[in-house]
Every structure is written in C-alpha cells, then in structure tokens.
Amino acid sequence: MTRGHDIPDIRSISAGLSQKGVRDHNERLLLSLLQRHGDMPGSDLARRAGLSPPTVSAILKRLENDGLLERGEPQRGKVGKPSVPMKLSPGGVLSFGLKIGRRSADLLVMDFAGRIRHQRQTTYPYPMPEDVFGFVADSVADITTLLGPRAAARICGIGVAAPFEMWNWSDLTGRAAETFLSWKNIDIRSRIAQITSLPVLIVNDATAACQAEHVYGRGKAFRDYAYFFVGAFVGGGIVLNHSVFEGRQGNAGALGSLRSIGPDGKNRQLVDTASLHLLEARLKKAAIDPALLWQSPQDWGAFTDHVDPWLDQTGLELAKASLSTCAVIDFEAILIDGAFPSAVRGDLVERVRHHIRDQDTRGLILPTIESGNIGGNARAIGAACGPVFSQYFLNTNAGLAVA
C-alpha cells in the first residue's frame, strides 16, 4: 500500500504515566507514537511521552523481545555515540480487513506497518449473504496458506467494515429482495466466527474508511475533523482529539443521513443526493454499463460528460453538509475521499471549496476543505486497523463513548 503524501504537520498525542500498574497504557503510548511519528530513538520517545528514559528503555526492550519492534540503522550525531531508532516491526502483527460493500467485497491482510500483504476481491450487483460469506471463507483459507504458519500465527484478528442497516439500501423486488432482506437477521460476527477462530471486530464501513485516512493519510495533520467517503452511498466519520470517535452505539458520524433537499423540493438524505448510485443511474440512462465505475484500475475518461454534472451536484451537496456538520462541532477541516480515481477526487474537492464560498455561513467558522489520499481501499484498510488498534494502540477518546 502506498503510505500517501508527506505530511509536514503531524499533531502529537497525550503523555504517559510512570506509576506502577500502567504498563499496558505506556506500551500502547510508545507504539502509538512510533506509528504516528515514525522511527525514533528512545530518548525522543521519552521526551514525547513524558516518561523517564529508564522506563522507556525497559518498555522498548520488552516490545522488541515480543517481536513488535525492531532496531533501525544507527544515526550518528555531531557528538556522542550514535543513536539507534526504534520502529514498528512489519511482521510483528498482522490483521485481516474485510469490506462488505454494496457493489464489491474485499478481504486483505495488513501488517503492523500498514502494508497490504495480500488481497482478494469479488464484485456483484448486490451483496447476497451466502455469496459474501463463501468469498470470505475461500479468501481467508487462501491468504492464510500463502502467509505460512509462522506469519499466520501473528494475525491478531479480523475487522469487518459493513454498512449500517445494509438491508435498507436495496431497490430489489421479488425473491432477490427477500434474500437481501435476510441481512437483517444475520449476525455477521457469528458467521465470521464459523469461518475463523480469530477475534472479530465490526465497524461501520464509512467509519472504517475514516480510520484508514486518520492512520495512514491526511488525518495525521489535524486534531478534529469530519470525513466524507463517497461510495455507492456516501457516508462519513468524525475524529476528535486525534482518534476516530465511534460513539456509544458505533454509529457516530453517520453523515450520509444528514438532511438534504432533492431536485423535486422534497426532503432527502445526503445518500440520496451525493452518492455514486446517482452516477450509476446517469450512465444507465445513457445506455452505459455502470459496472465500468467499479473496474480496477479505475478509468472514467470514457464518460466524462456524465461525470461532470454529477460532480457539480455532489460538490454542492457536500459543501452544504460540511457546514451543517461544523454547526455542531467547529471542526478545523473536512476531508473528502471516495471510491473514484484520484483526479475525480481532486476535482470534487475543488468544487466543494467553490460552492462553500457561496453558502450562508453566518455564525460559522469555515473549515479547510482537504482531499483524502487513501482511495477506494480505505474501508478494508480501516477494517484491518480495528483489531490492531484495539490491542496495541492508544485510543484518546476511550472515555467519551461510555454509555
């Protein structure tokens, strides 16, 4: 996986504690600092964490012995002996990430450094349960074999990114509609547990995309921001205090459900006015196969005339939604990404910037509008982040989601 653009300003996170009995917190803190800021020697980690050098040295030794950290090349300064930076060991932890989308499913395995080791994909008109779980079973077995016993033993879990109430997003009729509606009574965690004994973590698909952007993309540059991911149906996520905030029931940042007004003047949700299913409808009307939108690698050059009006409508809707979001929390930035080519993403961001200047912004502090840089794989990558973060990294919002 490409780790994205260089980020000049990476905000730091909270300090540690040296009292007895908080080893797990301090281990997570040091791992989080290395993940966020990159390789650094123990002296720098001690300064950033607010821990004593002996405490940091002892923790680093334990983490290295556990295979979670490795030593980098010694760095010679002007005086004194060379310092040895510590870094996350890519093979120290692996995690599966599963995205169940409305047009495709992806299963990947990601290492501790955020690199994708292997990935499998299947496409479909609609995600029927047995097709999806059959794909998962085959792909887990295939990838586990490719990894080999030693690496497979390092897999810490499987994260699953799926739309909230997926059964509500179908225009199917007849027997196919009944099959699709069966998602309502399916316990995804239990079905995955029949395939693998690994711990299973379920997350909203757009929240997972937000997590990927926050960990490996532009999100490192901001403390608090809202995130829009434009897929077949638009969704979103929010970041507070350097951590993705899922909320009490895991549905915080459900930005696709923001109120909007359709062309007919009727009340709509953002999913009805700023999603790729609207572009699919435009292509169908022009007798163009909408499946072309989801082919990899993506190339939308053949139907630019249909993409352009969709971009303008979506840009306007996202501009209004951005302001509505900032009326609740004064986010410093709005990040926008989606399941489309990078050139389309850049064009969309520019249109949002243009449209937001024409809106009524009384009483609001305008956020900066920025492009994400993870792209269509964000949901699967974010899903893979779930087990890793729950077991190894620090969640600075842990106290905000208590019921």
Side-chain angles (χ1 to χ4, degrees):
M1 180 189 72
T2 300
R3 291 294 299 271
H5 306 304
D6 292 335
I7 301 170
D9 179 20
I10 300 177
R11 305 289 181 84
S12 192
I13 52 181
S14 60
L17 304 170
S18 290
Q19 297 96 322
K20 186 177 179 180
V22 293
R23 188 184 82 173
D24 184 59
H25 170 90
N26 288 339
E27 287 182 347
R28 286 172 179 260
L29 175 58
L30 296 186
L31 289 170
S32 298
L33 287 169
L34 288 170
Q35 191 285 318
R36 190 170 188 84
H37 298 280
D39 311 353
M40 69 178 81
S43 57
D44 289 351
L45 279 168
R47 177 177 54 81
R48 286 182 178 273
L51 296 169
S52 69
T55 296
V56 169
S57 179
I59 293 173
L60 292 179
K61 185 174 182 178
R62 285 198 302 269
L63 294 175
E64 184 180 10
N65 290 338
D66 289 342
L68 300 178
L69 297 182
E70 59 186 42
R71 296 170 182 264
E73 292 296 323
Q75 298 176 349
R76 185 172 298 278
K78 294 181 179 180
V79 295
K81 64 180 182 179
S83 63
V84 179
M86 301 300 293
K87 60 182 179 179
L88 300 181
S89 177
V93 181
L94 302 178
S95 177
F96 278 119
L98 169 66
K99 178 215 76 178
I100 304 175
R102 296 173 178 87
R103 296 293 183 264
S104 65
D106 290 84
L107 182 80
L108 56 80
V109 65
M110 187 176 72
D111 67 26
F112 209 22
R115 300 184 184 94
I116 296 172
R117 297 286 184 95
H118 301 284
Q119 181 166 1
R120 298 291 181 268
Q121 182 184 71
T122 186
T123 58
Y124 37 64
Y126 295 93
M128 296 305 185
E130 295 311 312
D131 293 338
V132 169
F133 293 118
F135 160 75
V136 174
D138 292 344
S139 299
V140 166
D142 181 29
I143 291 175
T144 301
T145 300
L146 288 172
L147 287 172
R150 186 173 181 178
R154 288 283 182 172
I155 302 174
C156 70
I158 177 168
V160 181
F164 181 68
E165 293 187 349
M166 183 161 52
W167 58 88
N168 276 336
W169 307 100
S170 169
D171 56 0
L172 290 169
T173 57
R175 183 178 296 275
E178 294 177 6
T179 303
F180 190 80
L181 188 61
S182 67
W183 278 110
K184 184 174 183 179
N185 299 313
I186 289 176
D187 184 336
I188 295 177
R189 180 178 281 102
S190 296
R191 289 297 301 268
I192 299 296
Q194 294 174 16
I195 297 171
T196 173
S197 60
L198 292 168
V200 182
L201 190 149
I202 310 293
V203 64
N204 175 269
D205 59 340
T207 301
C210 183
Q211 179 75 283
E213 189 65 49
H214 187 62
V215 176
Y216 300 116
R218 296 293 307 284
K220 288 185 178 182
F222 306 102
R223 174 189 172 95
D224 306 303
Y225 61 90
Y227 169 88
F228 289 93
F229 187 89
V230 183
F233 290 79
V234 69
I238 57 176
V239 169
L240 299 173
N241 192 29
H242 302 297
S243 289
V244 175
F245 181 66
E246 297 184 36
R248 183 172 60 88
Q249 301 183 79
N251 199 42
L255 305 184
S257 297
L258 287 171
R259 297 293 98 182
S260 183
I261 303 294
D264 56 2
K266 294 183 179 180
N267 286 326
R268 294 283 187 271
Q269 291 190 350
L270 190 64
V271 292
D272 303 314
T273 59
S275 298
L276 281 173
H277 72 82
L278 298 171
L279 180 55
E280 288 183 323
R282 286 180 182 271
L283 296 182
K284 285 181 181 178
K285 191 174 182 180
I288 300 173
D289 184 4
L292 294 172
L293 293 173
W294 311 104
Q295 289 183 349
S296 181
Q298 289 180 306
D299 182 2
W300 291 6
F303 32 87
T304 302
D305 290 345
H306 304 283
V307 173
D308 191 71
W310 173 82
L311 276 172
D312 204 55
Q313 175 190 345
T314 303
L316 174 59
E317 293 297 332
L318 290 180
K320 293 188 292 186
S322 297
L323 293 178
S324 296
T325 301
C326 288
V328 180
I329 296 176
D330 57 341
F331 293 110
E332 58 183 312
I334 303 292
L335 270 60
I336 298 171
D337 201 358
F340 34 49
S342 58
V344 173
R345 176 179 60 208
D347 195 346
L348 178 59
V349 168
E350 287 302 321
R351 296 188 193 220
V352 174
R353 289 170 176 163
H354 168 76
H355 285 299
I356 205 168
R357 291 194 293 266
D358 296 332
Q359 301 300 306
D360 185 347
T361 59
R362 289 175 295 173
L364 297 173
I365 300 173
L366 283 181
T368 179
I369 308 297
E370 298 290 343
S371 172
N373 63 7
I374 301 299
N377 230 12
R379 292 161 291 182
I381 293 171
C385 286
V388 178
F389 268 67
S390 67
Q391 297 176 47
Y392 296 97
F393 294 126
L394 203 62
N395 179 3
T396 53
N397 283 331
L400 297 180
V402 177

